[in-house]
Amino acid sequence: MIKGAWSHLALAGAEIRVRVTPRARQPGVTHTDEGFRISVTAPADEGRANAAVVEALAHALGVAKIRLTLVRGATARDKTFRLD
């Protein structure tokens, strides 16, 4: 995936919906009308998958990881991030 492929969606204050698939065979990021679908190879324990999702989403949006804040869904597959 190209860094910043969806940089046009990186608006300050935007809430970004994400559907996560942990322990995937291959990592990947896609965008649909409902939001992003992110597959990570990290397991969903001790926050490893969340950290991998933040990294993948930041890469896709072309922003720093520190600008993404997890608003909802810390332990769920459906998450909402806010871009500061």
Side-chain angles (χ1 to χ4, degrees), residues 1-46:
M1 178 185 53
I2 299 170
K3 183 174 183 172
W6 288 289
S7 61
H8 64 281
L9 300 174
L11 304 173
E15 288 201 351
I16 302 164
R17 291 179 294 164
V18 176
R19 175 76 175 193
V20 177
T21 304
R23 289 189 188 241
R25 286 185 185 200
Q26 293 183 337
V29 179
T30 59
H31 184 262
T32 63
D33 292 335
E34 292 84 33
F36 284 92
R37 295 184 62 85
I38 300 178
S39 301
V40 294
T41 57
D45 60 307
E46 298 179 9

Side-chain angles (χ1 to χ4, degrees), residues 20-80:
V20 177
T21 304
R23 289 189 188 241
R25 286 185 185 200
Q26 293 183 337
V29 179
T30 59
H31 184 262
T32 63
D33 292 335
E34 292 84 33
F36 284 92
R37 295 184 62 85
I38 300 178
S39 301
V40 294
T41 57
D45 60 307
E46 298 179 9
R48 291 185 204 154
N50 284 344
V53 168
V54 169
E55 188 172 332
L57 184 58
H59 183 80
L61 295 174
V63 299
K65 293 185 288 187
I66 198 162
R67 290 189 59 198
L68 292 170
T69 305
L70 181 61
V71 178
R72 281 185 293 279
T75 60
R77 290 182 61 168
D78 293 317
K79 302 178 183 305
T80 302

